[in-house]
Amino acid sequence: MDIKDSIIVCDECKSEFYRKSSRMKNLCPECAHLLYGYENCDHEFVNKRCRKCNWNGHSSDYINKLRLES
């Protein structure tokens, strides 16, 4: 199965992402990185989505707060 065949929604930011692009089952690579320190995707945005993981660039209020605190 190709990485782009399985699209799910992140529990935290509600963005769609390619399931196999993240090491966490229900979190996009961005949220998994900020919440648990997992390796993030090296995002490359095309038409407002990362072509590698499909993240749309949106974040939850909690994730935005974490970014401000770091």
Side-chain angles (χ1 to χ4, degrees):
M1 176 184 277
D2 186 85
I3 193 171
K4 297 178 182 177
D5 288 343
S6 180
I7 296 175
I8 60 174
V9 176
C10 177
D11 285 348
E12 181 65 32
C13 71
K14 308 303 183 209
S15 175
E16 292 180 340
F17 70 101
Y18 300 132
R19 168 63 195 102
K20 291 187 177 181
S21 68
S22 178
R23 292 187 54 201
M24 296 204 66
K25 183 177 179 182
N26 294 314
L27 293 176
C28 70
E30 186 74 15
C31 290
H33 172 71
L34 291 167
L35 292 171
Y36 299 102
Y38 285 102
E39 185 177 343
N40 200 351
C41 176
D42 184 22
H43 300 299
E44 291 181 20
F45 285 90
V46 176
N47 296 324
K48 299 183 181 182
R49 286 216 176 254
C50 175
R51 70 171 189 83
K52 294 179 178 181
C53 71
N54 202 42
W55 181 56
N56 64 11
H58 295 159
S59 297
S60 67
D61 290 340
Y62 183 67
I63 292 294
N64 288 333
K65 181 182 173 190
L66 290 176
R67 280 194 184 103
L68 289 174
E69 292 173 355
S70 62

